[in-house]
Amino acid sequence: AQSVTQLDSQVPVFEEAPVELRCNYSSSVSVYLFWYVQYPNQGLQLLLKYLPGSTLVKGINGFEAEFNKSQTSFHLRKPSVHISDTAEYFCAVINTGGFKTIFGAGTRLFVKA
Amino acid sequence: DAGVIQSPRHEVTEMGQEVTLRCKPISGHNSLFWYRQTMMRGLELLIYFNNNVPIDDSGMPEDRFSAKMPNASFSTLKIQPSEPRDSAVYFCASSTSATSTDTQYFGPGTRLTVL
């Protein structure tokens, strides 16, 4: 069975600083990986998704993530954050051909002025 | 497109009462998911429908929970009787894919409080 671990529950950062949100997964088969963002009192929205092929995935709002198979990681990065990026971020994994997405516990990004 | 629509947005009820949550998926999407989000357990998949048929309900916590999808544009999640531990935010999501590899589009959620 697959699983996903988000290593940081909270990440405070100053505006315009870079940020990395860490995600590690485990699975015995090939996987698809996703990052979703949840703004307060809203549902989740897709930031980006990894499909087998390229290791660097670009998403919306200037975010990108790098798939590292040897380290089973899919860390999310942004070179310069804005106050509006304050939200909770979820890493998710699903086996190829599967239908059950497993979500991580979430990382709360707090951007300070 | 209006996106996934859920109602009500907030529900406060007393223990023992029946609760019905409603979802309208995005038109043309053939997969629908019900999730529950709590601080303790995070985001959990409760049940998944494809073409209106329940495919996997292994996440439904117990017999008090039931879900239906009578047609492609409507689904309900019912809790009867409700208990305080059912308090959570319940999300409905839809996608175009028979597997979950396509993007799931989430509704705004229903915040349920059981007193």
Side-chain angles (χ1 to χ4, degrees):
Chain A
Q2 71 270 37
S3 66
V4 59
T5 302
Q6 292 186 242
L7 298 164
D8 308 292
S9 60
Q10 295 186 65
V11 174
V13 64
F14 285 103
E15 192 174 20
E16 297 183 5
V19 71
E20 178 180 81
L21 307 183
R22 298 180 293 168
C23 172
N24 285 95
Y25 70 94
S26 66
S27 177
S28 57
V29 298
S30 61
V31 297
Y32 296 91
L33 294 154
F34 304 79
W35 276 100
Y36 283 84
V37 59
Q38 184 179 28
Y39 298 104
N41 299 314
Q42 295 186 26
L44 280 69
Q45 304 172 34
L46 182 71
L47 266 183
L48 51 81
K49 63 181 175 182
Y50 165 77
L51 303 176
S54 61
T55 56
L56 187 63
V57 183
K58 292 190 181 298
I60 62 171
N61 300 340
F63 283 92
E64 63 181 30
E66 184 172 7
F67 173 68
N68 188 318
K69 188 174 182 179
S70 62
Q71 297 185 7
T72 61
S73 67
F74 189 56
H75 300 334
L76 181 71
R77 301 185 181 103
K78 185 169 182 178
S80 175
V81 294
H82 301 132
I83 297 286
S84 59
D85 292 324
T86 295
E88 188 145 19
Y89 292 78
F90 293 90
C91 183
V93 63
I94 183 171
N95 287 344
T96 304
F99 55 80
K100 190 167 185 174
T101 302
I102 304 299
F103 287 84
T107 297
R108 188 170 299 276
L109 175 65
F110 180 60
V111 182
K112 301 177 285 186
Chain B
D1 196 325
V4 175
I5 299 172
Q6 291 187 248
S7 64
R9 291 294 310 275
H10 301 272
E11 176 81 35
V12 180
T13 190
E14 293 187 347
M15 183 174 62
Q17 296 298 306
E18 178 180 294
V19 174
T20 300
L21 311 181
R22 297 173 177 80
C23 175
K24 177 179 169 55
I26 293 173
S27 177
H29 284 190
N30 61 7
S31 296
L32 184 139
F33 309 83
W34 280 101
Y35 289 92
R36 178 172 67 176
Q37 186 179 40
T38 61
M39 289 292 291
M40 292 297 294
R41 300 174 67 90
L43 196 64
E44 304 171 276
L45 177 66
L46 299 177
I47 188 170
Y48 157 62
F49 290 88
N50 182 242
N51 291 326
N52 313 335
V53 176
I55 303 300
D56 183 0
D57 64 355
S58 61
M60 296 286 263
E62 47 197 276
D63 292 344
R64 298 184 297 106
F65 285 69
S66 62
K68 294 182 180 179
M69 192 165 185
N71 56 62
S73 59
F74 184 64
S75 176
T76 59
L77 178 68
K78 185 177 292 187
I79 308 172
Q80 166 64 15
S82 58
E83 296 182 4
R85 60 193 168 118
D86 302 330
S87 297
V89 181
Y90 291 81
F91 289 102
C92 175
S94 69
S95 75
T96 58
S97 177
T99 64
S100 296
T101 54
D102 274 3
T103 301
Q104 293 185 35
Y105 294 83
F106 283 75
T110 296
R111 183 174 297 276
L112 173 65
T113 302
V114 183
L115 303 174

